[in-house]
Amino acid sequence: MMRQFELVELVKSYDANADEGALNRAYVYSMKAHGAQVRASGDPYFSHPVEVAGILAQMKLDAASIVTGLLHDTVEDTVATLDDIDRVFGPEITRLVDGVTKLSRIELQSDQTKQAENFRKLVLAMSEDIRVLLVKLADRLHNMQTLHFIKSDEKRRRIARETMDIYAPLAERLGMQRMKDQLEDLAFAELHPDARASILARRDFLRDKGAGIVPRILAELHRKLEEGGVANAVVSGREKSAYSIWRKMQRKNVTFEQLADLMAFRVMVDDVGDCYHALGIIHSAYHVVPGRFKDYISTPKPNNYRSLHTGVIGPEQQRIEVQIRTREMHDVAELGVAAHWTYKHGAPTTEGPQYRWLRELLDILDHAAGPEEFLEHTKLEMFQDQVFAFTPKGDLIALPRGATAVDFAYAVHSEIGDTCVGAKINSRLVPLRTQLQNGDQVEIVTSKAQTPSPTWERFVVTGKARARIRRFIRTQQRTQYLDLGRAIVQKAFRQEGQEFSERPLEAVLKTFNCSTVEDLYAAVGQGLATGRAVVNAAFPQQHEPKAKVVSLDRARRRAKRNDIAVPIRGLIPGMALHFAGCCHPLPGDRIVGIVTTGKGVTIHTIDCETLESFADTPERWLDVAWSNEDDAVHVGRLNVTIANEPGNLGSLTTVIGKQGGNISNLKITNRSSDFFEIMIDIEVGDVKHLTTIIAALRANPVINSVERARG
Ligand code: MN
């Protein structure tokens, strides 16, 4: 285990300004906090955070990252709290430790590998500071290095699988090739020990067989470059990892026999000009293997990897692969994001225009307000328009940003979406329209009696939810129009003194462009044809004189003639039926329906002032009646005047609340120095409920006047 002064000296070796005091405090703090805890290896637990800090120091990260490495398990595994950390180490370290702790908790939530991709995105989305991820990766690397101490086969395999599926790709995304290779190789050893052993044996055999070739190639390449005028070129050979060979064999169904299969040669030079110069020398000295040349300098990979790749038939007549890069490109390729701290701490080599991207990235890291901004600027933006939430079982659901509880319900299962009545987010009951945040745990409450509501369509954002809701509304709407239309036609028959029968209707289908009687009902329900027009067509000889302009009173009386009213039971508001926004009819009110072309029926109270404009079209009036089984919530609207004095508005809302009325909207429509006129929408059961509220308001001295809105 690395000792305290060794760790401090290592950090000081690359960062002379590092906060020595904080490093020392963290070392001692972690040692005390973990106390007598022991790892599976039998080592004191404290050795783990120290090793993690050591890995971070080898990556030359800043002191804050090293301190976080030392403290990363204290909040999760000891009695230490974030407040304690804050007192001793300040807000920056607290934020970093909190981030690592949160990531560890997510890790415990779900172990389904099929969700690996989502999980990886979640990890990215939830990392406020890229250093959180770096500490987490170092933590994982040390856990993988000590994996063999864990006794349970299943646990070892799960951790290895997770490393392969999540952490290695994450390291790659951050451009950390070395970290990725190490994680993959350790996971590979656990998951496929036999395959790895045979690949390594084969590699050793080929290496021994070609003994002497590699040094000759290195010397030859170096000589050619020097003759060509590239100064300071360093040529090296690197064995490919067992896992990368294995991957290639999986992909291409090949065995490996050639040098190019197990070695890659690398040329490191001073600057970008030298890179292309070296490429020219190699291409003119050797035959080029077609299709192997790639210029990642002019077009870097999304993770900022930059190099020239080429393949040639090299010295010794062997096919070889060569990577050409500057030293800075090399560090970035090996360390990825982690390399940026190295350059931040004073190396003057990042000045040229070719390092603009690096400076920009550092700038973003310094100034990014949050994960969204960072992700957006570093090409990881593919995740920032998404939000990730958990089911109660810990399954991860990925949704577009802005998604609501209803979207979540539909994403889990169409049935759950269709029947959802409520949602609990992080155990708190919330409205279905609530937008989800990253990491929310969502529990959907369902009821067999529930059906999709047309109002949901206004706030859902996923295609699946919208399609299901629309389809339901379409089928439902047709049924509703059909029922309503049948009732209207039956009523029209009665008014004409005709016995109702569908036969005369079949004869006039063509007149109304319908192919079935049901189509005709639906058309009438939708207001595309009137009941009277249908009856007149069916019985032309008894044609009554055309409806003429009548007085409003007469229209009202006619509508409420002793015909049997059309019951609005079972009609869903928002489909074939609409409640007028002018008078807000409530169960118990005397009501009348106005047929609106293409929309169905709008319900008004019989005394609504708006009805005046329909006085000259009596054929659109429809007698309707409330059904008894109505237990829906209705909205009543009041106009209230109160004196402009402190506390009066409070008294007003208190009275309404005490009477069980829920205020859904409140608007000041007029204000003078003495009075406020206020419009209030209240959710009530029926007109009696609203009348009770009105009476209670009138009984209160601070309220000047209360009236129901009349259109
Ligand atoms: Mn740990």
Side-chain angles (χ1 to χ4, degrees):
M1 176 168 57
M2 199 181 270
R3 279 180 291 174
Q4 188 168 345
F5 77 92
E6 289 171 326
L7 180 66
V8 174
E9 269 179 13
L10 177 55
V11 177
K12 284 293 211 181
S13 72
Y14 62 82
D15 181 6
N17 300 322
D19 185 348
E20 210 171 313
L23 288 168
N24 284 319
R25 275 202 307 283
Y27 194 97
V28 174
Y29 188 95
S30 177
M31 183 162 55
K32 281 190 181 155
H34 287 293
Q37 290 175 343
V38 174
R39 298 265 292 172
S41 59
D43 288 338
Y45 193 96
F46 174 57
S47 64
H48 166 66
V50 170
E51 292 300 331
V52 170
I55 291 168
L56 294 165
Q58 269 144 30
M59 287 155 68
K60 298 191 172 143
L61 292 191
D62 66 338
S65 305
I66 315 290
V67 167
T68 306
L70 287 167
L71 301 175
H72 80 273
D73 275 334
T74 53
V75 172
E76 190 70 7
D77 294 342
T78 78
V79 293
T81 65
L82 279 177
D83 283 345
D84 300 338
I85 303 270
D86 191 35
R87 262 193 302 279
V88 185
F89 298 98
E92 185 189 16
I93 301 295
T94 308
R95 199 167 38 76
L96 291 170
V97 172
D98 186 32
V100 179
T101 307
K102 272 187 187 144
L103 284 186
S104 306
R105 284 185 190 146
I106 302 168
E107 197 170 78
L108 297 172
Q109 288 232 24
S110 174
D111 58 1
Q112 294 192 30
T113 48
K114 72 176 162 74
Q115 298 181 342
E117 183 56 25
N118 281 342
F119 182 67
R120 189 157 57 240
K121 290 175 194 168
L122 174 69
V123 169
L124 276 173
M126 286 192 73
S127 307
E128 300 262 332
D129 186 317
I130 200 76
R131 289 175 295 180
V132 169
L133 282 183
L134 301 181
V135 174
K136 189 67 212 162
L137 285 169
D139 175 39
R140 176 52 62 130
L141 180 58
H142 184 246
N143 285 337
M144 286 303 295
Q145 285 166 347
T146 52
L147 187 67
H148 55 281
F149 289 116
I150 291 175
K151 290 208 178 64
S152 154
D153 286 359
E154 200 200 311
K155 192 175 175 193
R156 277 202 317 274
R157 292 187 68 80
R158 183 180 64 75
I159 294 173
R161 187 80 273 155
E162 204 175 66
T163 300
M164 198 64 107
D165 288 343
I166 294 160
Y167 291 97
L170 200 55
E172 183 179 28
R173 180 139 299 155
L174 298 176
M176 304 164 72
Q177 188 63 37
R178 197 186 295 168
M179 174 69 79
K180 171 183 173 274
D181 286 346
Q182 291 179 86
L183 289 173
E184 273 176 354
D185 199 49
L186 290 162
F188 186 44
E190 174 61 38
L191 296 170
H192 303 283
D194 298 342
R196 181 168 177 271
S198 61
I199 286 171
L200 290 180
R202 184 83 188 139
R203 192 177 75 178
D204 291 349
F205 170 78
L206 288 171
R207 186 205 292 138
D208 293 347
K209 203 175 79 170
I213 290 183
V214 172
R216 287 203 297 275
I217 293 176
L218 291 175
E220 170 81 7
L221 282 174
H222 191 260
R223 193 174 57 79
K224 279 268 188 311
L225 290 169
E226 214 162 44
E227 283 171 10
V230 179
N232 299 327
V234 175
V235 186
S236 59
R238 177 185 64 95
E239 281 188 331
K240 293 180 182 174
S241 75
Y243 181 70
S244 71
I245 295 172
W246 164 252
R247 279 294 305 275
K248 193 179 171 195
M249 290 168 74
Q250 274 185 325
R251 269 201 314 271
K252 292 190 178 160
N253 190 25
V254 292
T255 55
F256 62 106
E257 294 301 335
Q258 298 197 29
L259 188 63
D261 293 326
L262 59 146
M263 290 287 287
F265 291 89
R266 185 170 291 150
V267 175
M268 267 199 274
V269 294
D270 283 342
D271 55 40
V272 174
D274 280 351
C275 288
Y276 289 102
H277 192 179
L279 179 76
I281 292 165
I282 290 169
H283 275 188
S284 54
Y286 308 105
H287 286 297
V288 176
V289 179
R292 302 298 301 170
F293 174 65
K294 295 203 178 69
D295 184 348
Y296 292 120
I297 290 179
S298 65
T299 313
K301 288 189 184 180
N303 64 14
N304 286 325
Y305 174 86
R306 304 207 310 162
S307 276
L308 300 175
H309 289 189
T310 191
V312 295
I313 307 298
E316 307 291 322
Q317 298 309 303
Q318 293 264 7
R319 183 166 68 83
I320 58 170
E321 289 177 17
V322 185
Q323 300 169 348
I324 305 166
R325 52 176 72 156
T326 66
R327 281 170 192 84
E328 288 75 17
M329 287 177 197
H330 176 67
D331 282 352
V332 171
E334 293 284 297
L335 295 171
V337 177
H340 305 148
W341 275 274
T342 313
Y343 293 103
K344 197 175 158 187
H345 290 295
T349 49
T350 59
E351 285 310 307
Q354 67 269 40
Y355 294 110
R356 194 171 52 91
W357 66 271
L358 186 57
R359 285 197 301 274
E360 281 173 0
L361 186 62
L362 289 175
D363 204 45
I364 292 158
L365 286 166
D366 282 346
H367 299 297
E372 274 98 36
E373 200 183 327
F374 175 74
L375 294 172
E376 183 178 2
H377 286 93
T378 50
K379 304 280 186 221
L380 302 169
E381 78 275 9
M382 50 272 228
F383 311 133
Q384 59 114 32
D385 53 359
Q386 281 182 287
V387 58
F388 303 89
F390 291 108
T391 67
K393 282 184 189 157
D395 292 345
L396 199 64
I397 305 286
L399 294 163
R401 196 151 285 255
T404 61
V406 171
D407 291 296
F408 182 92
Y410 276 106
V412 172
H413 199 280
S414 306
E415 284 288 293
I416 293 181
D418 284 348
T419 56
C420 66
V421 288
K424 280 184 187 171
I425 294 181
N426 305 324
S427 307
R428 284 189 53 213
L429 205 57
V430 298
L432 282 171
R433 64 171 66 236
T434 307
Q435 294 193 354
L436 306 181
Q437 306 295 322
N438 263 327
D440 276 349
Q441 186 163 60
V442 186
E443 186 185 342
I444 299 294
V445 186
T446 60
S447 158
K448 284 221 172 68
Q450 175 72 324
T451 56
S453 160
T455 57
W456 294 353
E457 212 192 319
R458 283 183 228 142
F459 57 76
V460 297
V461 300
T462 52
K464 184 178 180 190
R466 183 161 289 134
R468 284 288 296 200
I469 296 165
R470 284 221 177 117
R471 198 172 66 190
F472 175 83
I473 293 173
R474 258 203 316 277
T475 40
Q476 203 62 21
Q477 214 159 27
R478 159 126 181 132
T479 319
Q480 303 246 307
Y481 282 142
L482 206 152
D483 289 349
L484 181 63
R486 186 189 290 114
I488 292 173
V489 171
Q490 284 173 347
K491 182 183 142 176
F493 268 72
R494 232 173 283 120
Q495 281 176 327
E496 298 300 321
Q498 295 288 347
E499 181 92 2
F500 177 71
S501 149
E502 291 197 345
R503 192 163 308 143
L505 297 180
E506 279 160 13
V508 299
L509 288 176
K510 260 205 192 118
T511 320
F512 296 95
N513 272 329
C514 295
S515 45
T516 65
V517 174
E518 292 201 329
D519 284 350
L520 181 60
Y521 289 151
V524 172
Q526 206 178 340
L528 300 175
T530 64
R532 177 182 295 270
V534 171
V535 175
N536 286 347
F539 305 100
Q541 63 277 31
Q542 298 177 23
H543 211 285
E544 263 200 0
K546 257 186 141 186
K548 49 178 187 272
V549 178
V550 290
S551 77
L552 182 59
D553 262 2
R554 185 131 177 265
R556 283 189 173 127
R557 256 180 283 121
R558 276 176 58 131
K560 282 291 167 193
R561 228 158 38 180
N562 53 355
D563 316 311
I564 295 162
V566 175
I568 58 177
R569 170 182 38 230
L571 295 180
I572 299 170
M575 292 193 191
L577 178 78
H578 310 270
F579 290 106
C582 41
C583 53
H584 292 269
L586 296 174
D589 278 330
R590 294 185 65 216
I591 49 176
V592 67
I594 297 292
V595 179
T596 311
T597 310
K599 270 187 71 182
V601 174
T602 306
I603 308 296
H604 294 264
T605 60
I606 194 78
D607 55 358
C608 176
E609 290 163 10
T610 313
L611 289 175
E612 210 153 342
S613 52
F614 302 107
D616 53 351
T617 51
E619 69 277 6
R620 293 180 59 189
W621 291 55
L622 183 70
D623 187 14
V624 286
W626 298 101
S627 58
N628 296 326
E629 299 150 26
D630 191 306
D631 55 0
V633 170
H634 297 267
V635 175
R637 177 170 288 184
L638 299 182
N639 293 320
V640 183
T641 311
I642 57 173
N644 182 6
E645 279 161 16
N648 281 5
L649 187 61
S651 310
L652 170 75
T653 54
T654 306
V655 171
I656 294 169
K658 274 194 179 146
Q659 298 301 327
N662 188 34
I663 296 174
S664 63
N665 189 16
L666 187 147
K667 190 173 151 194
I668 295 172
T669 51
N670 203 356
R671 74 205 304 179
S672 66
S673 54
D674 300 334
F675 294 103
F676 276 175
E677 285 171 34
I678 304 169
M679 183 213 84
I680 310 175
D681 287 344
I682 308 173
E683 292 175 1
V684 291
D686 55 17
V687 69
K688 237 171 83 190
H689 188 182
L690 188 67
T691 314
T692 313
I693 292 173
I694 291 173
L697 286 172
R698 285 182 177 148
N700 191 302
V702 312
I703 289 149
N704 264 91
S705 73
V706 187
E707 296 296 338
R708 242 188 109 180
R710 290 290 174 211

